[in-house]
Amino acid sequence: MAILKILTDDNPRLRLKSQKVVKFDKGLRQLATNLIQTMQQSNGVGISAPQVGELIKLIVVDVPEDMDYEGSPGFKAVVVNPEIVKCEGEQLGEEGCLSVPGWYGEVKRFKDITVRGQDVFGKPVKIKASDFTAVVFQHEIDHLSGILFTDLVLPNTLHKAKAAEDSIKDEIEEKVGETI
């Protein structure tokens, strides 16, 4: 296993279309394992092969339990050649990306989707996802076409995350103000 370097939005490889996987071998399974480890190390909930410079259709999704709605189950998947075959509803939410560190913005996505693809051994998989998990799937599948969330962000919603020390400073000032 290895932690891979995540490409950032200034790298033109992120804008290229990925190729369909036709060879389901040990190398593909190793890449999937490395993607999982890289995503976890970076505190992400999803990652795609193009984000580490591999232009193949492979994504990893790992949404922790209760991240979406209280009581919702966690969801983990590695999907090869994923495609959205059904979508319904709309939702609006803030997104970020491991390849666009520190930036966030509002993106309109489908609320419910069905994804078809294959596992790392080539067996067919069909996944139904809703809410935040559906957002993660759509975000990662976009990467396979060279699309970044910043291409889809609603006008005037893209913003840089507040630095941690600014956030702590604001919190302290708030608490001091409450005690006076």
PDB file of all heavy atoms in Angstrom, residues 46-75:
ATOM      1  N   GLY A  46     -14.289  10.605  -0.830  1.00  0.00           N
ATOM      2  CA  GLY A  46     -14.277  10.033  -2.161  1.00  0.00           C
ATOM      3  C   GLY A  46     -13.012  10.445  -2.882  1.00  0.00           C
ATOM      4  O   GLY A  46     -12.394  11.459  -2.541  1.00  0.00           O
ATOM      5  N   ILE A  47     -12.622   9.640  -3.862  1.00  0.00           N
ATOM      6  CA  ILE A  47     -11.455   9.956  -4.680  1.00  0.00           C
ATOM      7  C   ILE A  47     -11.580   9.171  -5.983  1.00  0.00           C
ATOM      8  O   ILE A  47     -12.204   8.101  -6.014  1.00  0.00           O
ATOM      9  CB  ILE A  47     -10.127   9.637  -3.949  1.00  0.00           C
ATOM     10  CG1 ILE A  47      -8.931  10.285  -4.650  1.00  0.00           C
ATOM     11  CG2 ILE A  47      -9.952   8.141  -3.776  1.00  0.00           C
ATOM     12  CD1 ILE A  47      -7.646  10.272  -3.827  1.00  0.00           C
ATOM     13  N   SER A  48     -11.013   9.719  -7.035  1.00  0.00           N
ATOM     14  CA  SER A  48     -11.040   9.045  -8.333  1.00  0.00           C
ATOM     15  C   SER A  48      -9.605   8.830  -8.814  1.00  0.00           C
ATOM     16  O   SER A  48      -8.692   9.558  -8.419  1.00  0.00           O
ATOM     17  CB  SER A  48     -11.800   9.892  -9.349  1.00  0.00           C
ATOM     18  OG  SER A  48     -11.103  11.101  -9.588  1.00  0.00           O
ATOM     19  N   ALA A  49      -9.427   7.855  -9.671  1.00  0.00           N
ATOM     20  CA  ALA A  49      -8.095   7.556 -10.209  1.00  0.00           C
ATOM     21  C   ALA A  49      -7.449   8.765 -10.899  1.00  0.00           C
ATOM     22  O   ALA A  49      -6.251   8.992 -10.733  1.00  0.00           O
ATOM     23  CB  ALA A  49      -8.160   6.355 -11.143  1.00  0.00           C
ATOM     24  N   PRO A  50      -8.205   9.580 -11.667  1.00  0.00           N
ATOM     25  CA  PRO A  50      -7.561  10.739 -12.303  1.00  0.00           C
ATOM     26  C   PRO A  50      -6.931  11.719 -11.297  1.00  0.00           C
ATOM     27  O   PRO A  50      -5.971  12.412 -11.629  1.00  0.00           O
ATOM     28  CB  PRO A  50      -8.708  11.418 -13.058  1.00  0.00           C
ATOM     29  CG  PRO A  50      -9.720  10.358 -13.272  1.00  0.00           C
ATOM     30  CD  PRO A  50      -9.592   9.421 -12.104  1.00  0.00           C
ATOM     31  N   GLN A  51      -7.448  11.748 -10.084  1.00  0.00           N
ATOM     32  CA  GLN A  51      -6.898  12.664  -9.081  1.00  0.00           C
ATOM     33  C   GLN A  51      -5.474  12.293  -8.653  1.00  0.00           C
ATOM     34  O   GLN A  51      -4.789  13.107  -8.060  1.00  0.00           O
ATOM     35  CB  GLN A  51      -7.806  12.730  -7.852  1.00  0.00           C
ATOM     36  CG  GLN A  51      -9.104  13.461  -8.123  1.00  0.00           C
ATOM     37  CD  GLN A  51      -9.975  13.482  -6.903  1.00  0.00           C
ATOM     38  OE1 GLN A  51     -10.770  12.572  -6.677  1.00  0.00           O
ATOM     39  NE2 GLN A  51      -9.807  14.515  -6.091  1.00  0.00           N
ATOM     40  N   VAL A  52      -5.070  11.065  -8.964  1.00  0.00           N
ATOM     41  CA  VAL A  52      -3.691  10.653  -8.679  1.00  0.00           C
ATOM     42  C   VAL A  52      -2.932  10.406  -9.983  1.00  0.00           C
ATOM     43  O   VAL A  52      -1.890   9.754  -9.996  1.00  0.00           O
ATOM     44  CB  VAL A  52      -3.628   9.424  -7.739  1.00  0.00           C
ATOM     45  CG1 VAL A  52      -4.241   9.763  -6.375  1.00  0.00           C
ATOM     46  CG2 VAL A  52      -4.284   8.201  -8.359  1.00  0.00           C
ATOM     47  N   GLY A  53      -3.483  10.925 -11.086  1.00  0.00           N
ATOM     48  CA  GLY A  53      -2.794  10.849 -12.365  1.00  0.00           C
ATOM     49  C   GLY A  53      -3.055   9.612 -13.196  1.00  0.00           C
ATOM     50  O   GLY A  53      -2.468   9.438 -14.252  1.00  0.00           O
ATOM     51  N   GLU A  54      -3.950   8.736 -12.742  1.00  0.00           N
ATOM     52  CA  GLU A  54      -4.288   7.516 -13.483  1.00  0.00           C
ATOM     53  C   GLU A  54      -5.586   7.757 -14.239  1.00  0.00           C
ATOM     54  O   GLU A  54      -6.654   7.870 -13.637  1.00  0.00           O
ATOM     55  CB  GLU A  54      -4.454   6.328 -12.526  1.00  0.00           C
ATOM     56  CG  GLU A  54      -3.194   5.966 -11.786  1.00  0.00           C
ATOM     57  CD  GLU A  54      -2.127   5.362 -12.689  1.00  0.00           C
ATOM     58  OE1 GLU A  54      -2.477   4.782 -13.738  1.00  0.00           O
ATOM     59  OE2 GLU A  54      -0.941   5.472 -12.340  1.00  0.00           O
ATOM     60  N   LEU A  55      -5.513   7.854 -15.553  1.00  0.00           N
ATOM     61  CA  LEU A  55      -6.678   8.219 -16.354  1.00  0.00           C
ATOM     62  C   LEU A  55      -7.529   7.009 -16.729  1.00  0.00           C
ATOM     63  O   LEU A  55      -7.723   6.684 -17.902  1.00  0.00           O
ATOM     64  CB  LEU A  55      -6.238   9.001 -17.585  1.00  0.00           C
ATOM     65  CG  LEU A  55      -5.594  10.352 -17.262  1.00  0.00           C
ATOM     66  CD1 LEU A  55      -5.064  11.012 -18.511  1.00  0.00           C
ATOM     67  CD2 LEU A  55      -6.566  11.258 -16.539  1.00  0.00           C
ATOM     68  N   ILE A  56      -8.031   6.346 -15.682  1.00  0.00           N
ATOM     69  CA  ILE A  56      -8.935   5.212 -15.858  1.00  0.00           C
ATOM     70  C   ILE A  56     -10.189   5.453 -15.022  1.00  0.00           C
ATOM     71  O   ILE A  56     -10.174   6.221 -14.069  1.00  0.00           O
ATOM     72  CB  ILE A  56      -8.287   3.867 -15.481  1.00  0.00           C
ATOM     73  CG1 ILE A  56      -7.888   3.846 -14.001  1.00  0.00           C
ATOM     74  CG2 ILE A  56      -7.107   3.567 -16.389  1.00  0.00           C
ATOM     75  CD1 ILE A  56      -7.488   2.484 -13.490  1.00  0.00           C
ATOM     76  N   LYS A  57     -11.269   4.770 -15.398  1.00  0.00           N
ATOM     77  CA  LYS A  57     -12.555   4.939 -14.725  1.00  0.00           C
ATOM     78  C   LYS A  57     -12.620   4.069 -13.471  1.00  0.00           C
ATOM     79  O   LYS A  57     -13.060   2.923 -13.511  1.00  0.00           O
ATOM     80  CB  LYS A  57     -13.698   4.627 -15.683  1.00  0.00           C
ATOM     81  CG  LYS A  57     -13.782   5.634 -16.807  1.00  0.00           C
ATOM     82  CD  LYS A  57     -14.969   5.377 -17.709  1.00  0.00           C
ATOM     83  CE  LYS A  57     -15.054   6.489 -18.743  1.00  0.00           C
ATOM     84  NZ  LYS A  57     -16.288   6.395 -19.525  1.00  0.00           N
ATOM     85  N   LEU A  58     -12.161   4.658 -12.387  1.00  0.00           N
ATOM     86  CA  LEU A  58     -12.130   3.988 -11.086  1.00  0.00           C
ATOM     87  C   LEU A  58     -12.379   5.034 -10.014  1.00  0.00           C
ATOM     88  O   LEU A  58     -11.702   6.071  -9.988  1.00  0.00           O
ATOM     89  CB  LEU A  58     -10.760   3.331 -10.861  1.00  0.00           C
ATOM     90  CG  LEU A  58     -10.444   2.795  -9.471  1.00  0.00           C
ATOM     91  CD1 LEU A  58     -11.384   1.660  -9.076  1.00  0.00           C
ATOM     92  CD2 LEU A  58      -8.987   2.324  -9.409  1.00  0.00           C
ATOM     93  N   ILE A  59     -13.368   4.768  -9.143  1.00  0.00           N
ATOM     94  CA  ILE A  59     -13.659   5.686  -8.038  1.00  0.00           C
ATOM     95  C   ILE A  59     -13.772   4.916  -6.731  1.00  0.00           C
ATOM     96  O   ILE A  59     -14.061   3.723  -6.719  1.00  0.00           O
ATOM     97  CB  ILE A  59     -14.948   6.507  -8.265  1.00  0.00           C
ATOM     98  CG1 ILE A  59     -16.194   5.608  -8.273  1.00  0.00           C
ATOM     99  CG2 ILE A  59     -14.845   7.357  -9.527  1.00  0.00           C
ATOM    100  CD1 ILE A  59     -17.513   6.371  -8.227  1.00  0.00           C
ATOM    101  N   VAL A  60     -13.548   5.645  -5.645  1.00  0.00           N
ATOM    102  CA  VAL A  60     -13.724   5.114  -4.298  1.00  0.00           C
ATOM    103  C   VAL A  60     -14.645   6.078  -3.554  1.00  0.00           C
ATOM    104  O   VAL A  60     -14.472   7.295  -3.645  1.00  0.00           O
ATOM    105  CB  VAL A  60     -12.370   5.009  -3.558  1.00  0.00           C
ATOM    106  CG1 VAL A  60     -12.575   4.620  -2.103  1.00  0.00           C
ATOM    107  CG2 VAL A  60     -11.453   4.028  -4.250  1.00  0.00           C
ATOM    108  N   VAL A  61     -15.612   5.526  -2.834  1.00  0.00           N
ATOM    109  CA  VAL A  61     -16.526   6.321  -2.017  1.00  0.00           C
ATOM    110  C   VAL A  61     -16.506   5.739  -0.612  1.00  0.00           C
ATOM    111  O   VAL A  61     -16.610   4.527  -0.444  1.00  0.00           O
ATOM    112  CB  VAL A  61     -17.969   6.288  -2.594  1.00  0.00           C
ATOM    113  CG1 VAL A  61     -18.956   6.954  -1.658  1.00  0.00           C
ATOM    114  CG2 VAL A  61     -17.997   6.929  -3.976  1.00  0.00           C
ATOM    115  N   ASP A  62     -16.361   6.605   0.390  1.00  0.00           N
ATOM    116  CA  ASP A  62     -16.361   6.159   1.785  1.00  0.00           C
ATOM    117  C   ASP A  62     -17.015   7.238   2.641  1.00  0.00           C
ATOM    118  O   ASP A  62     -16.355   8.133   3.149  1.00  0.00           O
ATOM    119  CB  ASP A  62     -14.940   5.882   2.259  1.00  0.00           C
ATOM    120  CG  ASP A  62     -14.889   5.280   3.664  1.00  0.00           C
ATOM    121  OD1 ASP A  62     -15.959   5.115   4.299  1.00  0.00           O
ATOM    122  OD2 ASP A  62     -13.780   4.988   4.129  1.00  0.00           O
ATOM    123  N   VAL A  63     -18.334   7.160   2.753  1.00  0.00           N
ATOM    124  CA  VAL A  63     -19.097   8.126   3.532  1.00  0.00           C
ATOM    125  C   VAL A  63     -19.285   7.545   4.930  1.00  0.00           C
ATOM    126  O   VAL A  63     -19.911   6.499   5.086  1.00  0.00           O
ATOM    127  CB  VAL A  63     -20.464   8.421   2.874  1.00  0.00           C
ATOM    128  CG1 VAL A  63     -21.280   9.375   3.736  1.00  0.00           C
ATOM    129  CG2 VAL A  63     -20.261   8.987   1.477  1.00  0.00           C
ATOM    130  N   PRO A  64     -18.746   8.229   5.947  1.00  0.00           N
ATOM    131  CA  PRO A  64     -18.875   7.725   7.316  1.00  0.00           C
ATOM    132  C   PRO A  64     -20.324   7.698   7.795  1.00  0.00           C
ATOM    133  O   PRO A  64     -21.156   8.470   7.325  1.00  0.00           O
ATOM    134  CB  PRO A  64     -18.063   8.718   8.152  1.00  0.00           C
ATOM    135  CG  PRO A  64     -17.204   9.438   7.182  1.00  0.00           C
ATOM    136  CD  PRO A  64     -17.933   9.433   5.875  1.00  0.00           C
ATOM    137  N   GLU A  65     -20.582   6.808   8.722  1.00  0.00           N
ATOM    138  CA  GLU A  65     -21.899   6.710   9.325  1.00  0.00           C
ATOM    139  C   GLU A  65     -22.297   8.058   9.916  1.00  0.00           C
ATOM    140  O   GLU A  65     -21.466   8.766  10.492  1.00  0.00           O
ATOM    141  CB  GLU A  65     -21.827   5.660  10.449  1.00  0.00           C
ATOM    142  CG  GLU A  65     -23.115   4.932  10.684  1.00  0.00           C
ATOM    143  CD  GLU A  65     -22.902   3.769  11.613  1.00  0.00           C
ATOM    144  OE1 GLU A  65     -22.225   2.800  11.216  1.00  0.00           O
ATOM    145  OE2 GLU A  65     -23.411   3.855  12.739  1.00  0.00           O
ATOM    146  N   ASP A  66     -23.545   8.406   9.780  1.00  0.00           N
ATOM    147  CA  ASP A  66     -24.121   9.634  10.345  1.00  0.00           C
ATOM    148  C   ASP A  66     -23.593  10.931   9.723  1.00  0.00           C
ATOM    149  O   ASP A  66     -23.885  12.011  10.215  1.00  0.00           O
ATOM    150  CB  ASP A  66     -23.941   9.702  11.862  1.00  0.00           C
ATOM    151  CG  ASP A  66     -24.718   8.622  12.579  1.00  0.00           C
ATOM    152  OD1 ASP A  66     -25.743   8.179  12.032  1.00  0.00           O
ATOM    153  OD2 ASP A  66     -24.310   8.243  13.677  1.00  0.00           O
ATOM    154  N   MET A  67     -22.804  10.857   8.655  1.00  0.00           N
ATOM    155  CA  MET A  67     -22.289  12.090   8.064  1.00  0.00           C
ATOM    156  C   MET A  67     -23.404  12.848   7.354  1.00  0.00           C
ATOM    157  O   MET A  67     -23.413  14.060   7.323  1.00  0.00           O
ATOM    158  CB  MET A  67     -21.165  11.801   7.079  1.00  0.00           C
ATOM    159  CG  MET A  67     -20.543  13.060   6.540  1.00  0.00           C
ATOM    160  SD  MET A  67     -18.985  12.683   5.790  1.00  0.00           S
ATOM    161  CE  MET A  67     -18.296  14.305   5.680  1.00  0.00           C
ATOM    162  N   ASP A  68     -24.341  12.118   6.773  1.00  0.00           N
ATOM    163  CA  ASP A  68     -25.405  12.734   5.999  1.00  0.00           C
ATOM    164  C   ASP A  68     -26.545  13.180   6.909  1.00  0.00           C
ATOM    165  O   ASP A  68     -26.796  14.357   7.074  1.00  0.00           O
ATOM    166  CB  ASP A  68     -25.895  11.729   4.962  1.00  0.00           C
ATOM    167  CG  ASP A  68     -26.751  12.362   3.893  1.00  0.00           C
ATOM    168  OD1 ASP A  68     -26.966  13.575   3.958  1.00  0.00           O
ATOM    169  OD2 ASP A  68     -27.198  11.641   3.002  1.00  0.00           O
ATOM    170  N   TYR A  69     -27.221  12.256   7.484  1.00  0.00           N
ATOM    171  CA  TYR A  69     -28.312  12.540   8.399  1.00  0.00           C
ATOM    172  C   TYR A  69     -28.132  11.637   9.606  1.00  0.00           C
ATOM    173  O   TYR A  69     -27.664  10.511   9.481  1.00  0.00           O
ATOM    174  CB  TYR A  69     -29.664  12.248   7.745  1.00  0.00           C
ATOM    175  CG  TYR A  69     -29.957  13.160   6.589  1.00  0.00           C
ATOM    176  CD1 TYR A  69     -29.780  12.742   5.283  1.00  0.00           C
ATOM    177  CD2 TYR A  69     -30.373  14.469   6.813  1.00  0.00           C
ATOM    178  CE1 TYR A  69     -30.035  13.585   4.217  1.00  0.00           C
ATOM    179  CE2 TYR A  69     -30.625  15.324   5.764  1.00  0.00           C
ATOM    180  CZ  TYR A  69     -30.458  14.874   4.463  1.00  0.00           C
ATOM    181  OH  TYR A  69     -30.690  15.714   3.412  1.00  0.00           O
ATOM    182  N   GLU A  70     -28.525  12.130  10.742  1.00  0.00           N
ATOM    183  CA  GLU A  70     -28.379  11.341  11.962  1.00  0.00           C
ATOM    184  C   GLU A  70     -29.063   9.994  11.770  1.00  0.00           C
ATOM    185  O   GLU A  70     -30.201   9.913  11.339  1.00  0.00           O
ATOM    186  CB  GLU A  70     -29.012  12.087  13.143  1.00  0.00           C
ATOM    187  CG  GLU A  70     -28.637  11.457  14.461  1.00  0.00           C
ATOM    188  CD  GLU A  70     -29.044  12.324  15.634  1.00  0.00           C
ATOM    189  OE1 GLU A  70     -28.952  13.550  15.532  1.00  0.00           O
ATOM    190  OE2 GLU A  70     -29.454  11.740  16.639  1.00  0.00           O
ATOM    191  N   GLY A  71     -28.334   8.951  12.053  1.00  0.00           N
ATOM    192  CA  GLY A  71     -28.871   7.609  11.928  1.00  0.00           C
ATOM    193  C   GLY A  71     -28.663   6.974  10.564  1.00  0.00           C
ATOM    194  O   GLY A  71     -28.995   5.816  10.361  1.00  0.00           O
ATOM    195  N   SER A  72     -28.108   7.733   9.608  1.00  0.00           N
ATOM    196  CA  SER A  72     -27.902   7.135   8.289  1.00  0.00           C
ATOM    197  C   SER A  72     -26.698   6.201   8.334  1.00  0.00           C
ATOM    198  O   SER A  72     -25.730   6.455   9.038  1.00  0.00           O
ATOM    199  CB  SER A  72     -27.718   8.208   7.215  1.00  0.00           C
ATOM    200  OG  SER A  72     -26.527   8.913   7.404  1.00  0.00           O
ATOM    201  N   PRO A  73     -26.774   5.119   7.574  1.00  0.00           N
ATOM    202  CA  PRO A  73     -25.659   4.168   7.582  1.00  0.00           C
ATOM    203  C   PRO A  73     -24.468   4.718   6.801  1.00  0.00           C
ATOM    204  O   PRO A  73     -24.619   5.556   5.922  1.00  0.00           O
ATOM    205  CB  PRO A  73     -26.243   2.947   6.879  1.00  0.00           C
ATOM    206  CG  PRO A  73     -27.290   3.514   5.981  1.00  0.00           C
ATOM    207  CD  PRO A  73     -27.852   4.725   6.698  1.00  0.00           C
ATOM    208  N   GLY A  74     -23.306   4.213   7.125  1.00  0.00           N
ATOM    209  CA  GLY A  74     -22.128   4.562   6.345  1.00  0.00           C
ATOM    210  C   GLY A  74     -22.194   3.833   5.015  1.00  0.00           C
ATOM    211  O   GLY A  74     -23.010   2.921   4.830  1.00  0.00           O
ATOM    212  N   PHE A  75     -21.366   4.250   4.075  1.00  0.00           N
ATOM    213  CA  PHE A  75     -21.381   3.601   2.774  1.00  0.00           C
ATOM    214  C   PHE A  75     -19.981   3.593   2.202  1.00  0.00           C
ATOM    215  O   PHE A  75     -19.319   4.623   2.159  1.00  0.00           O
ATOM    216  CB  PHE A  75     -22.319   4.327   1.807  1.00  0.00           C
ATOM    217  CG  PHE A  75     -22.538   3.566   0.540  1.00  0.00           C
ATOM    218  CD1 PHE A  75     -23.534   2.622   0.458  1.00  0.00           C
ATOM    219  CD2 PHE A  75     -21.707   3.757  -0.544  1.00  0.00           C
ATOM    220  CE1 PHE A  75     -23.726   1.886  -0.706  1.00  0.00           C
ATOM    221  CE2 PHE A  75     -21.885   3.030  -1.708  1.00  0.00           C
ATOM    222  CZ  PHE A  75     -22.901   2.089  -1.782  1.00  0.00           C
TER     223      PHE A  75
END
